[in-house]
Amino acid sequence: MTAATRRHPGKTPRESLPRLGPRPLPLHLAMACTTWTSSSAGLTLLKNGWPLSNPNNPASGNPENGQALGIETLLSQIEGLEGDDFNKALTQEVSARLRALLDGIQSYRSHPYRRDLEDPPSAWQEGSARLLDFGLAKHRSKRPGAKSKPAVLVVPSLINRSYVLDLSEKRSLCRWLAGQGFRPFLMDWGAPNGTEQRFGLSDYTCGYLERALDHVLSVTAGRPPVLLGYCMGGLLTLALAQRRAEDVSGLALLATPWDFHAGENALPDGQLAAVSSSCLPLASRLGYLPVDTLQSLFALLDPMAVTRKFVGFSKLDPDSQSAREFVAVEDWINDGVPLAAPVAGECLEGWYRRNLTARGEWEIDGEKVRPEHLDLPCLAIVPAQDRIVPPGSALALCKALRSVELLRPRSGHVGMVVGQQAREDTWQPLAAWLSALAT
């Protein structure tokens, strides 16, 4: 594990440390090249009567149902074109797209932006995990006569760094909540090291997370905090809330999956089986699932997403605020952490393949996690354009909860917390819900 892997969030990356993203670069370049350069081969196949051009092939469409014959329509459009001119135009377009992709990657890697935000004080630490106390930060608002607002224990995913929730001065959910009078505590998991590589989800939940909750209770005179879980962190806070319901005043779930077989982007069982059979032996051998392997798995959800992003970035002015924000998010995405081998098994095999959560069979420390038994005020924020956690997966959790308020921002998985509309669409409604708990 490199020093960069162990780096805590909030530390400014050294100027000499090159950017690694988009990770894994060979995979993204290979997918882009294969997709675009296959156009010439595809054109030849079409002109030579590729089977899909057969009107009797179901893939060509059903004219009786009013569906256009896509292949025949395409053939009719290119039929009158001169072969050499069209092939030249096609080659030029492929070359232009590849140049734009490479320009975007180079522009990103050479961009001068570096995150230099100082972390708030660490209130508790054990192993690689620490608890950042934004209530002790200088920006916390304490308005005279204002009613005391609850502490919020914020729990991110184990896969990505916690600082997406404290990305920059203007894009920090935790600092903004502190400015509204709340006292956020951000759980920073760090990277699994030593014995932590043998941790499962129960170790993280019943160990580090419960002891972090105990610390929050100790500094708030026993006043129960609200739990706020983001993505995978939402599942951990759900389990914690069930175990420690008397010590929790509410549960907010941001883009939290539940039914891993729901949604258009759900991977078929055969693909999930192939992922498990290839990744889990690797994790067992190393003690962890490497970051680049995790990034490759995310690429399965939308193979050309990274390519589209960097082609778009190539068109931005590097000095613009939009470019800086793009680089900030990409630095976070590519600054991931490996996943402890037992956790990788529970996630890939237990969640994604066997769907134990939606089946009511997922267990933490031998106890089934059953959201329908939870008697707490709950808020679920389900972004409409999420590709990482399909809305159908998160909405299944809403249906399982006994009582929940639902919010549907018009953003994606990451944009919901750091995007341009995050404050209006996510932060402010979240703060309003938290404030209502204090009344």
Side-chain angles (χ1 to χ4, degrees):
M1 202 180 301
T2 65
T5 301
R6 298 191 192 100
R7 189 175 65 242
H8 273 303
K11 303 299 183 183
T12 305
R14 298 188 300 273
E15 292 295 334
S16 59
L17 187 66
R19 286 188 168 102
L20 300 177
R23 300 176 70 178
L25 183 60
L27 174 65
H28 296 302
L29 290 177
M31 287 193 295
C33 290
T34 300
T35 299
W36 290 334
T37 58
S38 64
S39 298
S40 297
L43 176 63
T44 302
L45 288 172
L46 284 172
K47 289 186 173 182
N48 291 337
W50 187 39
L52 282 179
S53 64
N54 184 343
N56 295 322
N57 190 313
S60 297
N62 187 346
E64 294 182 0
N65 293 337
Q67 298 177 5
L69 296 177
I71 300 299
E72 288 191 342
T73 301
L74 178 59
L75 285 171
S76 66
Q77 291 174 346
I78 65 176
E79 186 176 2
L81 297 174
E82 292 293 335
D84 290 343
D85 290 343
F86 187 81
N87 286 333
K88 288 179 181 179
L90 185 59
T91 300
Q92 290 174 355
E93 178 63 22
V94 169
S95 299
R97 293 189 183 191
L98 286 172
R99 282 196 303 271
L101 173 59
L102 295 175
D103 287 347
I105 293 173
Q106 181 59 36
S107 180
Y108 162 67
R109 289 191 160 196
S110 61
H111 199 280
Y113 171 85
R114 291 293 188 275
R115 181 176 184 270
D116 58 0
L117 199 59
E118 183 179 353
D119 283 342
S122 179
W124 167 92
Q125 186 163 356
E126 184 176 343
S128 298
R130 60 182 183 155
L131 193 64
L132 304 180
D133 185 354
F134 287 81
L136 298 180
K138 60 184 179 181
H139 50 263
R140 188 181 183 211
S141 172
K142 294 184 179 179
R143 301 181 183 90
K147 182 171 292 189
S148 176
K149 294 183 179 181
V152 184
L153 176 53
V154 184
V155 182
S157 170
L158 290 167
I159 296 174
N160 295 108
R161 300 281 182 179
S162 64
Y163 66 86
V164 69
L165 298 162
D166 186 35
L167 190 64
S168 67
E169 283 287 355
K170 294 184 178 180
R171 294 281 191 262
S172 172
L173 172 60
C174 288
R175 289 171 196 260
W176 185 84
L177 286 174
Q180 303 303 304
F182 301 97
R183 187 171 183 178
F185 292 83
L186 176 60
M187 191 72 178
D188 169 29
W189 297 111
N193 200 8
T195 59
E196 293 168 339
Q197 293 182 356
R198 297 192 292 272
F199 276 17
L201 293 172
S202 293
D203 297 295
Y204 281 110
T205 305
C206 308
Y208 287 173
L209 198 49
E210 284 211 33
R211 289 192 283 276
L213 174 60
D214 289 337
H215 176 80
V216 174
L217 289 168
S218 72
V219 298
T220 59
R223 183 182 179 186
V226 177
L227 301 181
L228 190 160
Y230 178 35
C231 189
M232 179 186 185
L235 290 168
L236 302 184
T237 57
L238 178 66
L240 178 64
Q242 178 174 298
R243 293 175 57 84
R244 301 282 296 272
E246 71 282 0
D247 293 324
V248 177
S249 61
L251 176 64
L253 301 165
L254 279 62
T256 299
W258 187 248
D259 185 346
F260 286 82
H261 293 174
E264 296 179 357
N265 290 339
L267 298 176
D269 184 66
Q271 196 168 5
L272 290 172
V275 167
S276 290
S277 63
S278 60
C279 292
L280 296 187
L282 172 66
S284 178
R285 186 71 175 267
L286 295 176
Y288 59 89
L289 194 61
V291 176
D292 283 335
T293 304
L294 289 166
Q295 295 287 60
S296 299
L297 296 181
F298 283 121
L300 293 175
L301 301 175
D302 188 354
M304 291 294 284
V306 167
T307 295
R308 291 195 300 270
K309 282 196 303 182
F310 280 86
V311 168
F313 181 64
S314 70
K315 303 173 185 177
L316 292 181
D317 177 358
D319 295 329
S320 67
Q321 184 63 25
S322 295
R324 287 174 56 84
E325 291 173 357
F326 177 94
V327 172
V329 172
E330 284 301 315
D331 281 353
W332 168 75
I333 290 174
N334 293 290
D335 187 26
V337 293
L339 205 57
V343 173
E346 291 180 75
C347 294
L348 294 179
E349 187 68 20
W351 287 353
Y352 279 92
R353 191 174 182 201
R354 299 175 60 195
N355 204 18
L356 295 181
T357 48
R359 290 165 52 189
E361 298 177 6
W362 175 46
E363 295 183 357
I364 287 292
D365 196 28
E367 180 182 4
K368 287 183 171 62
V369 179
R370 305 299 293 268
E372 64 270 21
H373 297 162
L374 195 63
D375 188 17
L376 280 173
C378 296
L379 171 69
I381 304 181
V382 181
Q385 300 178 35
D386 197 336
R387 289 182 175 271
I388 302 299
V389 177
S393 177
L395 291 172
L397 180 53
C398 297
K399 294 178 181 178
L401 288 165
R402 181 181 298 183
S403 176
V404 62
E405 183 176 332
L406 176 63
L407 178 65
R408 300 294 310 275
R410 51 193 171 182
S411 53
H413 190 79
V414 179
M416 70 177 297
V417 291
V418 296
Q420 293 183 355
Q421 300 298 320
R423 179 175 299 191
E424 177 184 347
D425 290 353
T426 304
W427 299 3
Q428 292 175 351
L430 170 63
W433 181 80
L434 290 170
S435 296
L437 295 183
T439 59

